[in-house]
Amino acid sequence: MRPDPQKSPSLAITVLVSVGCHPLTGRGRRADQDARGVELARALPLAEVRLLHAGVLDAGSDAALRGYLGMGFDALTLIEQPESSDVVPALAEVLADHPPTLVIAGTRAERGEASGLLPYLLAERLGWPLVAAVAEVEGVEGGVATLLQALPRGQRRRLQVRLPAILTVDSAAPAPRQSAFGPARRGQLAVHEVGEAVPDAELVEWVEQPARKRPKRLKIVKAASARDRFKAAAAKAEGGSGQVLDGVTPEQGAEAILKLLKEEGVLRR
Amino acid sequence: MSEIRRRDPRREWIARNRLHRDHVSVLAVLGQGNTPSEWLGPNGVMRRNPHAVGFIGPNGLKRIDRSGGQQGGPATVATGTAASDSRQAVTIEAPAFLVAVVPDMSGGRLSSHDRDLLGLARQLADADPARPGAVLAVLFGSHKEEALGEAGVDRLLHLGDDAYEGYAPEARLAVLAAVERDLAPRHWLLPDSPLGGADLGRRLAARLGERPATGVWQLEADAEARGKNGSGWRCTARGAANTRDFLRPLPRVALALAECAEPVSETRHAAEPVTLAQPLPVLLSRIADLGPVAVDPAGVALAEAGFILSAGNGVTDWEGFHHAAKLLGATQGASRVAVDDGHMPRHRQVGATGTWVTARVYVAVGISGAIQHLQGIQSCDKVVAINRDPGCDMIKRADLAVIGDAALVLQALVTLVEQEREEKRHAA
Ligand SMILES: Cc1cc2nc3c(=O)[nH]c(=O)nc-3n(C[C@H](O)[C@H](O)[C@H](O)COP(=O)(O)OP(=O)(O)OC[C@H]3O[C@@H](n4cnc5c(N)ncnc54)[C@H](O)[C@@H]3O)c2cc1C
């Protein structure tokens, strides 16, 4: 079966994948958000998905990258670079050579600085629009993609973005499929040559240390006297601050509640 | 009032006779009760009369209040007003530099994250008292925050245009770029919160060509860093999925986590409006916001729901309750009693042994407000209580309390909402 090029042109998607880090063992794995990005791309009809990674290739990263191949891919394009090089120029070069319609990336990496800046730098460099926190791609039609964006509190927002575009995916996107062992072993890591790697000079100068536990914020009571401090410490629920409607009909009460709900903007229209 | 001063010789006598039973109360009446217990003796020695300490309480018992004020009731009122007035008003006329802050203003108000960020901005601005900086807040869309000055804002750039409502990162970025061009702030601070500052801040950094510090949670003055890039500050930033800290000089653009600094509480600032020198260019947005999508509120996890209708032992009409929740689009919660009685599933329980909720609006229907339940709703913004008992603890916690039968009030609310929707449908 050959798709009709006129009617249904295939959709070229590049998913940027990185080497993740297991939160407990610290071992390399496929990064969770990137895997979700791959899943999102796979779920699109007529998608031609290409995986792209820039970084070192050693035993650890090999196993992690094969995790993506196990999601049903024959090959993954790999830009080999020494440790702590800037990946943005290399990725931008590859993307500019073969511009896809959509680029999907995770929101933040699981190793290194993990500033989450990479998609933004790529978008700025390529001049493409970027949409953050995409939960679902509803459709691509006529050079415009319709997306669902994940908002805090489980809410969703529908957006339309002109293609080509960069999307980032966070943990609200659908969970990735399992990585199958056989395809992961058989898949190819196709090394792609680009120009000279640019070392990240600034990162080397910073002091890196294991995350310290953040101090818990104390409730500071500003009181002049011991009596006020005692009162503040012993106080139960504060009274008198709220409005109490006593002896009203249910209708009046309901009206007051409705007014508050509207003011807060929680009521669905 | 007549001008004639009337004397009461008996009272005067009692006031002189400090051994008299009514001495203190008479002093209080005569308005001389300020220092009856302490005076400077003829030899310059402080003399004390321990019997004169305190006052006679309403039950005829002597009360001693060591808080400094003489009488309990009025004294605390006085300290309360004094506390609110003690905040020092600060106006910075000619700031040496600007610290730009772009708060999220989720729900149209400063979030606690925004307040922390403004506290951080104040640290940067006020570091050198000789050359104070000003904090510039850039707000998008409409907002209902009145206390911006109290949160530490000196200058306010408010863009209330509709173009900035919803998801409009390109339009907002254009404004920030214009601010950079016109006002050239020394620091840019944004909250590293999903979809708010995290998105906009990274766009800004990419546009300005600055390498931002993300996940900043600590800031220290550091002379070494001053030599290097002139910022004079060193920050600690979280990275690598919250497992590593990076100590680095503070760059121009920083995205800070919640609780990065203490919010401003001791000063009041001017929040003077400013405008941009040049009109903003009209730009064609490549991202169109088609508005929110209705999600099933039952599918939203209780811990992150924004609007919760919660049922307690006072709910009798469960059909009506479920219907009301569905109509209002609220996620359902419950007290432990309602769960134990089998009216609601266990994962809907709010409280110490249930879920800690963070809703913007929490409506407690027939819940008495046991401490275990109140713990779970500590971080809710607005609490509405519907209860029959005006003395219960939930009423004390609530911002709005309606005393009445839960079933009737809910029924009235449902009718009201249905009516309004009907009218809207007819109007449309
Ligand atoms: C270790 C421990 C852990 C606990 N953890 C939790 C927890 O996580 N979450 C939790 O919720 N509880 C918890 N509890 C239970 C808690 O102490 C209370 O028992 C419970 O919260 C009370 O639930 P309630 O307010 O629904 O019921 P009640 O205390 O019975 O209150 C019912 C309220 O409804 C009002 N009312 C009655 N009829 C009507 C009517 N027709 N119209 C309007 N109002 C009416 C009454 O005036 C009353 O205020 C815990 C208890 C213990 C000991």
Side-chain angles (χ1 to χ4, degrees):
Chain A
M1 194 185 78
R2 200 186 301 152
D4 183 351
Q6 278 298 300
K7 262 188 150 174
S8 51
S10 72
L11 180 68
I13 303 179
T14 299
V15 185
L16 307 181
V17 296
S18 64
V19 177
C21 174
H22 192 277
L24 291 181
T25 63
R27 274 199 296 191
R29 60 160 188 179
R30 54 174 192 174
D32 179 63
Q33 292 179 347
D34 297 350
R36 285 174 197 265
V38 175
E39 182 64 45
L40 198 75
R42 291 245 76 169
L44 282 177
L46 299 168
E48 238 177 58
V49 186
R50 175 189 185 203
L51 304 179
L52 183 60
H53 172 77
V56 245
L57 184 64
D58 56 21
S61 64
D62 180 80
L65 293 175
R66 285 190 181 279
Y68 298 106
L69 290 174
M71 294 173 78
F73 292 90
D74 300 330
L76 179 150
T77 312
L78 176 75
I79 307 168
E80 243 195 292
Q81 284 188 319
E83 188 93 43
S84 72
S85 329
D86 194 352
V87 295
V88 176
L91 291 177
E93 192 183 323
V94 174
L95 289 178
D97 280 352
H98 304 277
T101 317
L102 268 182
V103 175
I104 300 181
T107 301
R108 294 182 86 162
E110 295 179 4
R111 290 167 178 268
E113 191 192 354
S115 64
L117 204 65
L118 179 128
Y120 293 88
L121 290 175
L122 283 179
E124 193 67 28
R125 208 175 253 241
L126 298 169
W128 293 2
L130 181 147
V131 179
V134 174
E136 199 183 322
V137 178
E138 289 189 317
V140 179
E141 213 169 90
V144 172
T146 311
L147 316 166
L148 281 190
Q149 187 181 41
L151 303 182
R153 306 199 174 283
Q155 302 297 307
R156 297 278 185 272
R157 176 156 65 191
R158 189 167 285 129
L159 302 173
Q160 273 186 342
V161 61
R162 202 93 55 75
L163 298 176
I166 300 185
L167 313 180
T168 70
V169 179
D170 69 6
S171 316
R177 65 191 68 187
Q178 259 194 326
S179 176
F181 185 70
R185 288 299 299 265
R186 285 193 296 275
Q188 295 277 319
L189 297 180
V191 176
H192 188 98
E193 295 295 332
V194 294
E196 196 90 335
V198 188
D200 186 345
E202 222 175 306
L203 184 66
V204 191
E205 288 179 9
W206 303 344
V207 182
E208 187 186 339
Q209 59 190 30
R212 249 187 308 149
K213 202 158 179 250
R214 290 185 61 181
K216 222 175 157 204
R217 176 178 277 183
L218 298 175
K219 204 171 123 200
I220 296 171
V221 179
K222 290 216 171 71
S225 65
R227 184 164 169 268
D228 288 349
R229 272 196 296 278
F230 176 75
K231 264 168 72 181
K236 238 184 139 187
E238 266 166 48
S241 60
Q243 179 194 7
V244 180
L245 300 180
D246 202 351
V248 294
T249 62
E251 284 72 27
Q252 286 166 330
E255 244 164 57
I257 295 175
L258 191 63
K259 189 161 149 270
L260 184 135
L261 297 184
K262 276 189 189 154
E263 269 171 20
E264 291 301 314
V266 289
L267 211 57
R268 190 185 298 161
R269 269 154 286 272
Chain B
M1 281 288 280
S2 79
E3 293 293 304
I4 307 160
R5 268 184 73 214
R6 298 203 181 276
R7 300 176 61 176
D8 184 341
R10 184 181 137 77
R11 271 222 196 125
E12 283 175 5
W13 174 68
I14 296 175
R16 282 196 303 275
N17 179 4
R18 59 180 178 78
L19 297 181
H20 195 277
R21 190 164 47 89
D22 295 337
H23 176 72
V24 179
S25 50
V26 166
L27 277 188
V29 170
L30 289 180
Q32 302 174 352
N34 304 343
T35 55
S37 64
E38 263 185 29
W39 67 95
L40 202 62
N43 301 333
V45 180
M46 198 59 138
R47 314 306 311 243
R48 285 211 170 79
N49 174 13
H51 299 286
V53 177
F55 58 95
I56 307 296
N59 300 338
L61 293 176
K62 178 173 256 185
R63 312 261 91 174
I64 298 176
D65 182 347
R66 299 198 190 275
S67 72
Q70 263 295 315
Q71 260 88 11
T76 48
V77 171
T79 51
T81 48
S84 65
D85 287 343
S86 71
R87 279 184 300 183
Q88 190 191 344
V90 178
T91 33
I92 296 170
E93 296 292 344
F97 58 93
L98 283 179
V99 181
V101 177
V102 189
D104 274 347
M105 304 295 288
S106 54
R109 292 212 183 81
L110 286 174
S111 63
S112 66
H113 194 167
D114 293 340
R115 286 179 195 279
D116 298 344
L117 197 72
L118 285 166
L120 191 74
R122 283 253 69 93
Q123 275 184 23
L124 289 170
D126 301 338
D128 184 1
R131 305 182 62 232
V135 173
L136 165 77
V138 184
L139 304 192
F140 295 104
S142 57
H143 71 89
K144 15 182 178 138
E145 184 66 55
E146 288 128 24
L148 282 166
E150 270 133 76
V153 177
D154 295 311
R155 301 281 187 277
L156 177 65
L157 177 63
H158 181 214
L159 297 126
D161 206 324
D162 271 350
Y164 307 110
E165 296 277 4
Y167 190 64
E170 292 171 316
R172 292 182 178 204
L173 181 62
V175 171
L176 298 189
V179 171
E180 168 76 15
R181 194 189 54 222
D182 285 5
L183 305 169
R186 185 184 287 181
H187 298 282
W188 279 100
L189 294 181
L190 290 99
D192 202 350
S193 57
L195 272 190
D199 185 36
L200 194 59
R202 289 184 170 87
R203 284 176 203 267
L204 177 70
R207 176 65 51 88
L208 301 185
E210 297 279 345
R211 183 170 189 166
T214 57
V216 172
W217 61 274
Q218 211 173 36
L219 188 71
E220 296 147 313
D222 180 9
E224 232 174 82
R226 177 172 299 148
K228 230 168 266 165
N229 65 358
S231 81
W233 294 93
R234 197 167 47 128
C235 61
T236 312
R238 260 300 126 92
N242 292 331
T243 57
R244 314 289 294 175
D245 273 343
F246 293 88
L247 272 67
R248 51 178 294 190
L250 182 73
R252 277 195 64 212
V253 183
L255 283 80
L257 296 176
E259 301 196 1
C260 53
E262 287 298 329
V264 176
S265 62
E266 273 160 7
T267 48
R268 272 181 294 141
H269 294 261
E272 277 169 38
V274 292
T275 44
L276 289 172
Q278 296 161 25
L280 290 162
V282 182
L283 84 167
L284 208 64
S285 177
R286 291 170 296 182
I287 302 171
D289 187 346
L290 303 188
V293 179
V295 289
D296 180 12
V300 178
L302 199 55
E304 60 169 24
F307 175 26
I308 299 179
L309 189 70
S310 198
N313 201 17
V315 172
T316 42
D317 174 13
W318 287 96
E319 283 302 315
F321 174 79
H322 295 310
H323 177 63
K326 205 167 154 203
L327 190 81
L328 297 174
T331 306
Q332 296 188 9
S335 80
R336 176 153 169 182
V337 173
V339 171
D340 284 352
D341 289 353
H343 294 299
M344 295 284 275
R346 180 62 72 193
H347 66 267
R348 291 279 164 215
Q349 179 180 326
V350 174
T353 42
T355 312
W356 289 55
V357 298
T358 55
R360 290 231 319 276
V361 179
Y362 184 85
V363 184
V365 187
I367 298 180
S368 60
I371 186 70
Q372 292 91 354
H373 192 86
L374 289 183
Q375 274 169 3
I377 61 169
Q378 262 169 7
S379 45
C380 291
D381 281 350
K382 294 267 169 185
V383 175
V384 180
I386 306 178
N387 205 308
R388 229 168 28 185
D389 171 14
C392 71
D393 286 337
M394 185 55 90
I395 305 276
K396 293 187 190 133
R397 165 70 174 85
D399 299 278
L400 171 68
V402 177
I403 313 294
D405 190 79
L408 294 182
V409 176
L410 271 190
Q411 185 55 48
L413 188 59
V414 165
T415 324
L416 211 60
V417 173
E418 273 173 348
Q419 239 174 27
E420 257 183 29
R421 291 205 179 145
E422 196 63 30
E423 275 167 22
K424 217 174 255 173
R425 204 166 306 140
H426 281 304

